[in-house]
Amino acid sequence: MKTILVTGGAGFIGSCYVLMAVKQGFRVINLDKLTYSGNMDNLSSLVGNENHIFVQGDIGNYELVQYLCKTYQPDYVVNFAAESHVDRSIIDPEAFVRTNVLGTSILLRAVKDWYDLLDNNSALQQNFRFLHVSTDEVYGALKPGDPAFTEKTAFAPNSPYSASKASSDHFVRAYFETYGFPCLITNCSNNYGPRQFPEKLIPLVTLNALKRQKLPVYGTGENIRDWLHVEDHCDAIHLVLEKGKIGETYCIGGNSERTNIEVVRTICQILDELCPHQDGKYEELIHFVTDRLGHDFRYAINCTKIKNELGWSPKHNFTDGLKATVKWYLDNKAWVENVQSGEYRRWIDKNYLHR
Ligand code: NAD
Ligand code: DAU
């Protein structure tokens, strides 16, 4: 049985990956600090499963990471842990530097120091991989007709979040170039699916609509994102981990570009169909608000490399995937209630009250 040290495995994408890996027969050591977006409810189906070992802690804790590597001898490390929300990075950039830059750097050093002491000829040392999960935002913003981002696009991060992720990507790359540490990087587009913390557009709009609250659309709503189902993303990550070429980057996208206003209107139509409301159509709740500072206009990913080299392409189509996602939030009332805790309310007031 192979062992994967997953960081940030209680978050939205990390928990999807952990559930998938355990189901496929891997043992997972899940290191997560449980910040506001870390949620043990995401992992409730693994309670009592001895192939999931949860450890609450920080990727920036060198001794803890070393202890976990020495104790569990992971075949792979997959780093999801991060501060992930652009709007929060605009208000508190240093939190992003601490985890995304310094945390990733310490994690790399702790894992590498353990890896360096492994027997050179051992299968563990030869097959070990460190995969860093990153974002398309490191490439900056596209204009309407621009070609989509590829692995060769120059970095041009615009927000404190994307600047911190770009920096972490550079550290990972440097560990490969300087020490020959067997790293891989993935840069992907906007994820959607079950268990996403409702500060992000799709769950925020869905849950606000159900409470008949305003649906805040930044600026004109014309900004474009390329939506990728979280399960497709996790499949791609696992493929890169097992079959990718060390030292390389792979771009992962959903081939589903949509304007924000299209996404919000589609959610409203799905809700009109699944739970019509006597007070009127959900679209009536749409409310254009002050734009995000430095709001990137468009992201889009060209996934030709991962398709040609590893045979991956997204399986979900956005129309069906979005409907199933909205239905998941309707069907999981306990999860929704728990996630909308005190911290969540504080964030909503901070970001939207004076917008
Ligand atoms: P998330 O905010 O839902 O989850 C982040 C997880 O990391 C949480 O469980 C949190 O507790 C944990 N964490 C935060 N700081 C930590 C620390 N110092 N030590 C250990 N754990 C810590 O984020 P997500 O949407 O699941 O994103 C996961 C990764 O994927 C991030 O690296 C993000 O940059 C990247 N990514 C996300 C998207 C997206 O659309 N959500 C797209 C591209 C890339
Ligand atoms: O592109 C990948 C990135 O996607 C990831 O790296 C980030 O971790 C992830 O959060 C996401 O970033 P975005 O900023 O694109 O996602 P968000 O859901 O915050 O916003 C999506 C779009 O919707 C964006 O153009 C801003 C807009 N928006 C967002 C919110 C929260 C609104 O119009 N209203 C809102 O209330």
Side-chain angles (χ1 to χ4, degrees):
M1 174 182 270
K2 283 187 172 166
T3 298
I4 313 179
L5 173 58
V6 173
T7 72
F12 164 50
I13 307 173
S15 63
C16 178
Y17 183 78
V18 168
L19 294 171
M20 190 197 82
V22 171
K23 197 168 166 195
Q24 287 184 10
F26 290 87
R27 178 173 72 151
V28 171
I29 316 304
N30 185 353
L31 172 63
D32 194 300
K33 189 176 175 183
L34 293 181
T35 66
Y36 75 91
S37 68
N39 183 352
M40 290 308 281
D41 286 353
N42 293 346
L43 301 162
S44 56
S45 62
L46 294 179
V47 171
N49 189 323
E50 59 186 22
N51 291 330
H52 176 239
I53 298 163
F54 184 81
V55 180
Q56 184 171 4
D58 196 317
I59 56 167
N61 183 337
Y62 178 90
E63 288 75 22
L64 176 60
V65 174
Q66 275 257 303
Y67 167 80
L68 294 176
C69 288
K70 283 180 185 156
T71 307
Y72 296 107
Q73 304 280 308
D75 295 276
Y76 306 132
V77 173
V78 183
N79 182 31
F80 292 93
E83 289 293 337
S84 68
H85 192 36
V86 174
D87 292 319
R88 288 187 192 252
S89 81
I90 294 167
I91 292 173
D92 181 13
E94 279 80 24
F96 288 69
V97 176
R98 275 193 290 278
T99 284
N100 301 359
V101 185
L102 190 56
T104 303
S105 168
I106 295 171
L107 174 71
L108 279 163
R109 187 163 55 84
V111 178
K112 178 194 165 291
D113 286 352
W114 160 77
Y115 166 85
D116 282 347
L117 296 176
L118 294 174
D119 177 351
N120 274 344
N121 298 317
S122 65
L124 186 62
Q125 212 258 9
Q126 305 251 322
N127 298 323
F128 178 79
R129 300 284 183 270
F130 181 106
L131 188 147
H132 177 65
V133 178
S134 192
T135 171
D136 57 3
E137 301 201 13
V138 299
Y139 300 119
L142 296 168
K143 296 192 192 70
D146 286 349
F149 301 131
T150 73
E151 294 76 5
K152 294 195 171 10
T153 306
F155 278 23
N158 292 319
S159 71
Y161 164 71
S162 53
S164 70
K165 290 296 288 187
S167 173
S168 66
D169 292 14
H170 286 319
F171 271 94
V172 176
R173 184 176 179 280
Y175 264 64
F176 172 72
E177 295 293 336
T178 306
Y179 309 109
F181 187 55
C183 305
L184 298 143
I185 300 174
T186 54
N187 292 86
C188 90
S189 61
N190 283 63
N191 282 217
Y192 72 99
R195 301 179 215 91
Q196 185 168 30
F197 191 78
E199 64 190 351
K200 309 282 164 60
L201 182 71
I202 289 177
L204 180 106
V205 163
T206 306
L207 301 185
N208 274 19
L210 288 172
K211 289 190 186 162
R212 302 298 295 174
Q213 289 170 351
K214 288 178 182 164
L215 312 182
V217 175
Y218 295 166
T220 61
E222 293 306 316
N223 300 63
I224 294 168
R225 297 293 182 266
D226 172 6
W227 293 97
L228 170 70
H229 196 280
V230 64
E231 288 166 8
D232 282 333
H233 182 197
C234 290
D235 284 345
I237 287 170
H238 200 68
L239 191 63
V240 171
L241 188 62
E242 297 223 291
K243 301 262 180 343
K245 197 166 157 220
I246 58 171
E248 299 263 327
T249 290
Y250 294 84
C251 281
I252 306 169
N255 296 333
S256 296
E257 286 185 59
R258 298 286 187 283
T259 62
N260 293 336
I261 192 66
E262 268 180 280
V263 172
V264 173
R265 289 210 170 103
T266 310
I267 295 171
C268 291
Q269 284 153 14
I270 294 169
L271 288 172
D272 284 334
E273 189 188 318
L274 295 180
C275 49
H277 200 279
Q278 57 190 19
D279 290 349
K281 298 267 190 208
Y282 287 95
E283 273 204 33
E284 290 163 19
L285 301 170
I286 292 175
H287 193 65
F288 291 92
V289 298
T290 312
D291 209 351
R292 174 185 278 175
L293 294 176
H295 196 174
D296 283 339
F297 181 70
R298 173 180 163 234
Y299 306 136
I301 286 274
N302 174 339
C303 343
T304 305
K305 177 175 173 178
I306 188 169
K307 186 174 180 214
N308 288 350
E309 291 187 14
L310 306 181
W312 178 90
S313 45
K315 291 196 184 80
H316 289 79
N317 82 63
F318 186 61
T319 311
D320 297 341
L322 185 60
K323 192 167 179 181
T325 299
V326 170
K327 195 165 176 323
W328 188 90
Y329 291 102
L330 291 175
D331 291 345
N332 287 273
K333 293 200 168 55
W335 186 95
V336 167
E337 215 163 280
N338 289 342
V339 90
Q340 292 181 318
S341 64
E343 157 52 30
Y344 179 69
R345 296 289 353 139
R346 275 193 293 282
W347 167 251
I348 294 296
D349 287 349
K350 199 173 191 174
N351 195 41
Y352 297 98
L353 211 56
H354 303 293
R355 228 174 169 119

